[in-house]
Amino acid sequence: MQAILAQAQKMQEQLLSAQQELADAEVSGTAGGGLVTATVSGAGELKALVIDPKVVDPDDTETLADLVVAAVRDAGNNAQRLAEEKMGPLAGGLGGGLGLPGM
């Protein structure tokens, strides 16, 4: 029983470490061949948005809006993949996703 508790404690420490790594990580997503780049934290929080001036057309704001949405979505998907890579093995070792979103 004590070995199981020690293993659970070790897994909890690894889980906390992985969560901290995710909080500190930043991933990017792009749209329009790199005309718009969004950077999000590992938790999916938008941190930065870079828009190439070539894509700014006052007569076509709809295209710019679509590119921004696509870049943010791409960055969010990349953050989700990173979370699955970091957290997947740990959550699986504790009997599943532990009720964590995306696990």
Side-chain angles (χ1 to χ4, degrees):
M1 183 65 161
Q2 195 164 7
I4 292 172
L5 291 175
Q7 183 180 6
Q9 176 66 29
K10 181 180 177 187
M11 290 177 77
Q12 182 180 16
E13 289 170 5
Q14 290 172 330
L15 184 61
L16 291 173
S17 175
Q19 287 173 330
Q20 185 61 49
E21 284 181 46
L22 280 174
D24 295 339
E26 288 188 356
V27 294
S28 294
T30 62
L35 292 174
V36 177
T37 301
T39 303
V40 299
S41 70
E45 177 185 353
L46 184 62
K47 295 289 194 175
L49 185 65
V50 178
I51 300 171
D52 188 309
K54 290 185 283 190
V55 76
V56 179
D57 178 357
D59 296 325
D60 186 16
T61 58
E62 187 175 312
T63 297
L64 178 57
D66 289 344
L67 289 172
V68 169
V69 169
V72 171
R73 183 179 300 126
D74 187 43
N77 288 339
N78 291 338
Q80 181 65 32
R81 275 194 291 278
L82 179 64
E84 289 170 1
E85 289 173 16
K86 296 277 185 195
M87 305 295 284
L90 294 172
L94 292 173
L98 299 174
L100 298 174
M103 299 291 136

